[in-house]
Amino acid sequence: MTLLEHTKNAPQAWSGNLPVTSRYTYGLAGERFFRAMKDEGKIMGSYCPKCDHTYVPATVFCERCLGELSEWVDVGLVGELHTFTVLFVDCDGNPLEEPELVGLITFGDGGIIHRLEADPDELEIGMPMEAVLKPKAKRKGSILDIEGFRAVSK
Amino acid sequence: MGMRKVAVIGAGMTKFVRRAQETPKELSWEAARMALESCELTMDDIQAVCMGTAPDAFDGVHMKGEYLSDGAGAWRKPYLRAFVGGGTGVFTPIQGWYHVASGLFDVVLLVCEEKMSSFYPHAQAAFVTIFDHTTERPLKPNLLWIFAIEMNRYMTAYGINKKDIARVAVQHKQNAANHPCAMLGEADITVDDVLNSEVLAWPVQRLDVSPVSDGAVAIILAAEHVARRLTSKPVWIEGVGWNLDTAYWTNRDLAYPRYVEYAARQAYEMAGIQEPRKEIHIAEPYDPFDYKVLHHLEGLGLAERGKAVDLYLNGTAAPDGDMPVCPSGGLLGVGNPIAAAGLMKIAELFWQLRGEAGARQVPGSPKKGIAQAWGDLMQVGTVVIMGR
Ligand SMILES: [Zn+2]
């Protein structure tokens, strides 16, 4: 039975949707985090001296002590591959034409979920991986300014 | 701590199915009705109602607690909907417990419902909007990402293979073959069936995952003086606990559910349990994915870290083992209408501890059981300990 297979004797149905459109702000931290990414090509974290904890992406507050975080740190573009998956279906359950790679790259005490530009067979948990940024002129201040992560070239 | 004793005195459950004809409120009503009949009460006896149901997107009705209220029996009664994502089904009895333990009410009806088949084409897409709108949603994430990367991390951290993890899915689906409400009970399923099923997001395959389902479960709680009058076999809620970890999945230990440990510690302390592995006779940990059972058994302190799979390999977790795990068949076997699936675990402990679990009854007259669910942004643990 595949994800999308429905039984033949399923009850009658009609269709409707919940139309919701949103306009989000970046927030206090996001404004600064994405400006640094767009203008300077940097991934920023924020450090809580009280909890000795570095948030990546940067936040303006520490969720552990609720202190305000003013120490921002450039964590570099190279993080560690913490875990990954190879996707064979999309979120509607349809098979993907080409499998996609998604990984968690850790920086500081946090990390970034993103696409991996790699051959699944060459991936090893714990290996260093580097953010591939779009050229500056094409960056818009979005997580998609990072095209993906690839193995650090030796 | 000045709290009254609270018992479960009745339970009802609809079949878990892929696509129910009933509307969500009709499912709620069916379960509520069965729970009332099981202990010969009427709505006149019910003083308050607790409703548990997961994201509104599933049933396709915003503020669905209100939408479901009539089916749950809320008319002209104090009514409150609890929602902690997948943890809801074991949180709702905690909410019901403090309604009664506090002395506010003597008899409370709890209903948990989910109709996931309304979401089209597949309920998984209902989760797209749970991710951070700035840092994650532009990547078009889907829910399987979370489970797949967590499972990979768990396997890597402890060197566990997929073949052994598949034993969990096999055991639960076999157990479910004896459950009259189950949608995926399979007495003859094998490890190879699991390993040969479609790969969704490696290492997660089709049979590692519980199905999208429709269904409802209801139970009735009563204060001690009422419970003793109504039944000779009350099953007590002896401990409750719940705990939340960081909502940033990038900042959590993906190999060990610390939030489950904290929830369990709270519940064990309240129940006076010092050696869970000796004192707990039946466990119903949350099992939407096979590896999650192992994760949760470790968080509950019922296995060493990275060693829960041994309970399946050496037979401890089997229905006739020393500590049966998910004798109901769990979400992997009975089905996973989110909140209803969690409350199903409470109903299962109720039936097992009373010796009323029919073909699923575990031997040895079990006295204590633990149920646990997990959810929110994959970082809440909810735990209930029951005993007789
Ligand atoms: Zn802090």
Side-chain angles (χ1 to χ4, degrees):
Chain A
M1 193 135 199
T2 68
L3 267 183
L4 294 178
E5 199 172 319
H6 291 285
T7 53
K8 287 190 192 74
N9 50 3
Q12 286 293 313
W14 58 281
S15 296
N17 62 3
L18 297 173
V20 177
T21 304
S22 305
R23 203 173 49 149
Y24 303 109
T25 65
Y26 285 90
L28 305 177
E31 193 76 35
R32 187 166 164 191
F33 178 85
F34 285 107
R35 272 193 198 286
M37 183 173 287
K38 178 169 177 263
D39 298 341
E40 301 166 59
K42 287 179 178 170
I43 296 175
M44 300 296 289
S46 56
Y47 178 67
C48 177
K50 188 163 178 221
C51 302
D52 188 24
H53 198 86
T54 303
Y55 291 88
V56 179
T59 60
V60 287
F61 63 90
C62 170
E63 67 172 335
R64 301 184 170 205
C65 67
L66 293 192
E68 188 170 353
L69 303 184
S70 52
E71 263 182 67
W72 281 51
V73 283
D74 175 357
V75 296
L77 296 180
V78 177
E80 188 182 300
L81 181 64
H82 192 66
T83 175
F84 66 95
T85 177
V86 193
L87 301 164
F88 291 86
V89 292
D90 70 12
C91 72
D92 289 332
N94 303 301
L96 293 168
E97 273 178 30
E98 285 291 324
E100 290 172 13
L101 277 168
V102 170
L104 163 55
I105 316 293
T106 51
F107 291 89
D109 297 303
I112 290 174
I113 302 282
H114 220 292
R115 302 201 179 272
L116 306 179
E117 299 177 353
D119 177 342
D121 296 332
E122 69 178 22
L123 289 177
E124 219 172 292
I125 286 179
M127 70 193 279
M129 295 199 85
E130 173 178 32
V132 182
L133 292 178
K134 286 182 179 163
K136 190 173 176 183
K138 293 202 169 160
R139 297 203 289 258
K140 293 175 176 163
S142 150
I143 199 70
L144 298 180
D145 288 351
I146 301 175
E147 286 179 335
F149 283 79
R150 69 176 171 216
V152 175
S153 39
K154 287 167 189 150
Chain B
M1 56 182 156
M3 295 285 188
R4 302 196 297 174
K5 277 182 81 170
V6 181
V8 183
I9 60 165
M13 174 175 180
T14 71
K15 280 191 171 168
F16 286 3
V17 296
R18 178 168 290 268
R19 180 81 167 127
Q21 166 94 60
E22 291 89 339
T23 62
K25 56 175 72 183
E26 288 168 347
L27 287 169
S28 300
W29 164 75
E30 288 179 1
R33 178 94 200 149
M34 282 187 267
L36 288 167
E37 282 171 0
S38 76
C39 52
E40 299 177 342
L41 292 184
T42 70
M43 281 312 292
D44 293 338
D45 303 307
I46 301 296
Q47 297 170 329
V49 177
C50 297
M51 178 81 213
T53 192
D56 290 345
F58 285 147
D59 289 11
V61 183
H62 197 189
M63 293 180 69
K64 71 169 160 163
E66 284 62 33
Y67 163 79
L68 292 166
S69 60
D70 53 348
W75 179 73
R76 290 188 180 167
K77 294 197 194 297
Y79 173 76
L80 188 61
R81 170 200 183 178
F83 174 45
V84 286
T88 302
V90 175
F91 184 75
T92 304
I94 296 176
Q95 184 195 45
W97 169 82
Y98 55 69
H99 272 52
V100 178
S102 63
L104 267 180
F105 306 104
D106 286 339
V107 185
V108 174
L109 168 65
L110 278 52
V111 185
C112 284
E113 180 277 345
E114 221 75 60
K115 185 167 186 179
M116 301 172 72
S117 68
S118 300
F119 202 96
Y120 188 80
H122 191 276
Q124 215 221 138
F127 291 101
V128 168
T129 51
I130 71 174
F131 295 92
D132 185 282
H133 50 70
T134 306
T135 57
E136 289 165 357
R137 260 168 58 197
L139 294 162
K140 300 193 169 61
N142 77 55
L143 196 65
L144 281 169
W145 291 21
I146 295 183
F147 305 116
I149 71 168
E150 192 178 71
M151 181 170 176
N152 192 4
R153 185 69 202 171
Y154 178 70
M155 289 168 59
T156 305
Y158 299 115
I160 304 169
N161 64 51
K162 277 184 49 78
K163 196 172 159 208
D164 287 349
I165 294 178
R167 292 282 292 268
V168 175
V170 168
Q171 180 75 66
H172 292 203
K173 288 176 198 293
Q174 286 176 346
N175 295 354
N178 288 321
H179 201 307
C181 300
M183 63 185 278
L184 282 188
E186 273 187 76
D188 303 324
I189 189 170
T190 66
V191 165
D192 282 341
D193 292 335
V194 179
L195 296 178
N196 293 331
S197 60
E198 182 191 358
V199 181
L200 302 175
W202 190 89
V204 174
Q205 292 177 258
R206 152 112 345 265
L207 294 181
D208 292 314
V209 190
S210 57
V212 163
S213 328
D214 298 350
V217 176
I219 64 170
I220 293 171
L221 300 185
E224 183 175 12
H225 66 284
V226 178
R228 292 207 189 274
R229 204 168 68 224
L230 293 175
T231 175
S232 57
K233 294 194 287 184
V235 176
W236 307 103
I237 293 186
E238 299 185 341
V240 302
W242 66 105
N243 199 280
L244 200 81
D245 203 338
T246 176
Y248 301 100
W249 50 340
T250 50
N251 292 29
R252 281 202 292 281
D253 185 345
L254 296 180
Y256 181 72
R258 178 95 40 198
Y259 44 94
V260 172
E261 179 194 319
Y262 283 26
R265 277 201 215 159
Q266 183 188 346
Y268 288 139
E269 187 176 334
M270 182 174 154
I273 288 179
Q274 285 166 354
E275 294 185 88
R277 271 174 248 183
K278 288 185 186 154
E279 296 176 62
I280 295 291
H281 303 136
I282 305 177
E284 279 278 344
Y286 202 56
D287 61 328
F289 288 68
D290 44 14
Y291 81 95
K292 283 308 293 185
V293 182
L294 306 175
H295 229 206
H296 294 150
L297 285 167
E298 291 163 23
L300 292 169
L302 297 173
E304 298 289 339
R305 291 194 198 186
K307 296 272 192 261
V309 76
D310 294 349
L311 302 179
Y312 285 83
L313 301 177
N314 66 24
T316 304
D320 59 355
D322 283 348
M323 188 190 66
V325 179
C326 293
S328 63
L331 284 55
L332 287 163
V334 185
N336 186 11
I338 311 288
L343 195 61
M344 180 252 299
K345 292 179 173 294
I346 303 290
E348 181 70 10
L349 293 181
F350 173 70
W351 289 318
Q352 289 283 357
L353 297 178
R354 280 163 68 107
E356 295 175 354
R360 308 185 307 287
Q361 183 64 49
V362 305
S365 305
K367 288 194 172 52
K368 271 193 206 319
I370 191 165
Q372 172 261 336
W374 160 79
D376 265 351
L377 291 173
M378 320 310 150
Q379 84 318 357
V380 73
T382 53
V383 173
V384 167
I385 295 166
M386 291 163 62
R388 64 177 173 87

